[in-house]
Amino acid sequence: KLQTCVYWFSQKAGTGAVLAPPVLLVHGFGGSAAQWRTTVADLSAAGRTVYAIDLLGFGSSEKPEVEYSIEMWARQVLEFIQRVVIEQDGASSAV
């Protein structure tokens, strides 16, 4: 399960959606999901369902006192895809 609360938002595909996997946007070090706002709108208008996530310790996600690592964030992304993108929204994969 996700270790703590992670902030994310999504925007469903616009009209005329194509049968394409949803897109998960992940910010770089020091970034946040908010930096993707224009990209989210553009991808959604092009027919993609889009997710943008704040990794643990960034943006609006919790900032617990844990040891942060690339491995932890990679597990977080994989779990997010499994639990939210695939299980909640019914996608078979994400890009």
Side-chain angles (χ1 to χ4, degrees), residues 4-93:
T4 78
C5 180
V6 174
Y7 172 80
W8 60 276
F9 67 92
S10 66
Q11 185 165 332
K12 295 292 184 183
T15 56
V18 296
L19 294 176
V23 176
L24 172 59
L25 301 173
V26 181
H27 60 78
F29 195 78
S32 73
Q35 75 188 54
W36 297 112
R37 63 189 170 279
T38 303
T39 305
V40 168
D42 291 343
L43 287 169
S44 176
R48 302 300 285 265
T49 295
V50 185
Y51 297 86
I53 185 173
D54 277 340
L55 296 173
L56 198 61
F58 294 96
S60 296
S61 286
E62 289 185 1
K63 294 155 185 72
E65 291 189 30
V66 299
E67 189 171 324
Y68 294 96
S69 69
I70 296 296
E71 292 79 14
M72 179 198 69
W73 290 313
R75 285 190 309 271
Q76 182 183 13
V77 168
L78 289 173
E79 186 174 347
F80 182 85
I81 291 169
Q82 182 63 41
R83 295 189 70 211
V84 176
V85 178
I86 294 175
E87 291 177 10
Q88 233 179 38
D89 281 357
S92 59
S93 64

